[in-house]
Amino acid sequence: MNNHDILAYAVAREVVTRVRAGEKPWSDVLSAKSYVTASRSWPVPDFVLVDEDRKLAVGAEFKPPMQSKREYLTGLGQAIAYSRDFDYGLLVVPTIADDGYPIARHIATVLSQPAMASVPVGLLAYDPGLLSPSRAEFDHLHFFNKRADKPATRAKLDDSFYAKWREASPEEILSLLDHSYEEMRHPTSSTKNVRERAWDRVWADIQAGKLHHWAGGLRHAKDTLANKIAVWKNYRNFPAHVGWVDSGGALTTEGLRALHVGSLYGANSRPFLDEIAKAVLVPGKHLILLNAIGEFQDSRPSHSDEAAWLDALEEFLEQKGLLKRNEARAAAAVKNSERQFLKAEKQLWKNLELIIPRPPAMKRVFHPGRGFVINWARITDLLQSS
């Protein structure tokens, strides 16, 4: 499993628990409306704490155990750099480095220097011998110097910590990557960015009947400007959320690798589907979400009704601080509606074989009295091959 992300979000959940309980010194800075989310553009902290009431955001850098002193000091630099785009930076480190040196105390003394008095960065230290996904205790070695001004810029945040996927098929995603690459090499316009130009070409492919949805049929979409903009929402976010393209649509190193795999083996090949699945699980942070779902299922008896089960799961994730709090969410929920919680994710996980559908028809993924059957064997294989 990807211990870095899982441990980072275990710490994030513990922070939210303390914040919502009104514990000092957290309550001096953050309110009970705080939750965990992610940044979608540079810089990209390991997790972000957002306080809706006080309009604050904290960019956090988590460093795992058994790293060098240099790595932990690099983390200090990252946390300080986050203060340009977030209200506060937060560094989470073990008490000792890989050679036994008390690195957390060392960093605390650095932050306590008079020259650092106005730096809005906090430091948390954990015992590397005890930290686990189910036990994320830590000590405050240096709390934030309360900030009077605002960040010079604001990082772009999402309303969830995990990557959002909406309907696009592997063939359509590969088409978008391919056109993005071509637009990087040979731009067709000087007034649009790569992302917009690539979408123009994908839209032309849809109108020409060249692309198929995941069920195998041709993708149809009426050729109007309003429809083009609406359909674009199903395609534009996912590649950016998993780090395959930058904010302007240009392919990253990871995006170029995905394009290479898809071009070499085909859009519906096992290697390309595995590439998507690995991106979904790790940079897309669905592994953290699936772990949280597993924890939810293990903690209580399951409902026989899927809608009730999903509502209970959503409430569980909200309580853990992994979803934005929304008092109107339950009232807005309508069974089988477009906003049904995890509706798109269920389809994605099924198609990538990350969850096991229910026999005999194998069309639905909810198992009455059980919930989701997560395919941990496939997930482990994917992570080992990353």
Side-chain angles (χ1 to χ4, degrees):
M1 297 299 177
N2 189 272
N3 280 335
H4 176 278
D5 285 351
I6 292 173
L7 291 175
Y9 272 77
V11 171
R13 287 170 53 176
E14 177 63 21
V15 171
V16 171
T17 297
R18 298 187 188 191
V19 169
R20 291 184 176 177
E23 289 187 13
K24 294 283 189 177
W26 294 104
S27 59
D28 294 333
V29 175
L30 299 169
S31 78
K33 290 290 186 180
S34 300
Y35 63 93
V36 182
T37 189
S39 173
R40 300 305 186 193
S41 59
W42 182 259
V44 183
D46 288 314
F47 62 87
V48 178
L49 298 170
V50 173
D51 183 342
E52 284 198 314
D53 274 7
R54 299 179 184 176
K55 308 301 180 186
L56 298 176
V58 179
E61 184 66 24
F62 171 84
K63 293 298 183 183
M66 294 300 295
Q67 303 295 308
S68 67
K69 296 188 289 290
R70 178 187 294 272
E71 177 67 15
Y72 297 123
L73 288 180
T74 298
L76 174 60
Q78 290 173 282
I80 292 172
Y82 293 156
S83 66
R84 191 200 78 140
D85 300 89
F86 301 87
D87 296 279
Y88 296 95
L90 180 65
L91 177 62
V92 185
V93 298
T95 52
I96 57 173
D98 60 356
D99 61 357
Y101 182 78
I103 190 63
R105 287 290 176 189
H106 180 101
I107 295 174
T109 61
V110 172
L111 287 170
S112 297
Q113 295 178 106
M116 303 290 282
S118 62
V119 176
V121 171
L123 175 66
L124 306 181
Y126 63 85
D127 184 335
L130 298 177
L131 183 69
S132 72
S134 60
R135 183 177 179 181
E137 296 296 319
F138 55 76
D139 292 321
H140 306 101
L141 292 197
H142 183 89
F143 203 66
F144 308 116
N145 296 311
K146 201 158 186 179
R147 186 168 188 161
D149 62 345
K150 295 294 183 183
T153 60
R154 283 283 183 185
K156 183 180 179 182
L157 303 179
D158 203 354
D159 61 358
S160 71
F161 70 88
Y162 57 91
K164 292 297 184 69
W165 175 83
R166 291 292 181 269
E167 297 185 6
S169 69
E171 182 181 60
E172 292 167 316
I173 291 296
L174 182 59
S175 173
L176 182 60
L177 295 176
D178 185 39
H179 288 316
S180 298
Y181 180 65
E182 290 302 318
E183 287 295 338
M184 290 167 63
R185 298 173 64 235
H186 306 294
T188 56
S189 169
S190 60
T191 60
K192 296 180 178 180
N193 61 21
V194 172
R195 186 184 191 185
E196 294 164 333
R197 299 195 306 266
W199 174 243
D200 286 342
R201 296 174 68 156
V202 173
W203 185 251
D205 284 349
I206 293 173
Q207 299 310 311
K210 294 181 179 180
L211 298 179
H212 300 79
H213 52 67
W214 215 322
L218 283 174
R219 175 72 71 186
H220 295 291
K222 188 176 180 180
D223 191 10
T224 67
L225 179 59
N227 207 30
K228 180 181 179 182
I229 294 172
V231 175
W232 189 19
K233 296 176 182 179
N234 293 333
Y235 295 79
R236 67 185 182 189
N237 290 329
F238 177 78
H241 287 185
V242 298
W244 283 359
V245 300
D246 64 20
S247 59
L251 297 186
T252 62
T253 301
E254 294 77 14
L256 287 167
R257 171 181 165 77
L259 174 61
H260 173 72
V261 172
S263 299
L264 187 62
Y265 296 103
N268 295 306
S269 65
R270 171 61 66 175
F272 189 57
L273 292 178
D274 286 353
E275 201 70 20
I276 295 174
K278 286 184 283 189
V280 165
L281 287 168
V282 182
K285 294 184 168 57
H286 284 227
L287 177 60
I288 297 168
L289 178 57
L290 288 168
N291 267 286
I293 292 172
E295 179 187 346
F296 166 76
Q297 294 182 157
D298 292 341
S299 67
R300 67 197 67 196
S302 179
H303 296 271
S304 58
D305 176 73
E306 182 176 7
W309 183 84
L310 286 169
D311 283 345
L313 171 61
E314 192 170 15
E315 176 62 24
F316 173 83
L317 294 174
E318 285 184 335
Q319 290 174 354
K320 293 294 182 181
L322 295 176
L323 284 180
K324 178 180 179 180
R325 277 194 162 181
N326 185 345
E327 303 301 332
R329 192 193 303 272
V334 178
K335 186 179 179 182
N336 294 324
S337 71
E338 285 302 314
R339 63 84 47 214
Q340 185 190 54
F341 186 51
L342 297 182
K343 186 170 185 176
E345 287 75 16
K346 288 189 297 179
Q347 182 183 1
L348 176 67
W349 296 338
K350 175 187 172 184
N351 288 335
L352 294 177
E353 300 177 13
L354 301 179
I355 54 178
I356 299 171
R358 187 174 82 219
M362 308 299 282
K363 292 183 178 180
R364 302 185 68 85
V365 296
F366 177 75
H367 297 248
R370 187 172 182 182
F372 291 163
V373 177
I374 302 171
N375 192 348
W376 290 117
R378 171 159 166 75
I379 290 172
T380 300
D381 286 343
L382 287 166
L383 296 177
Q384 289 176 343
S385 64
S386 296

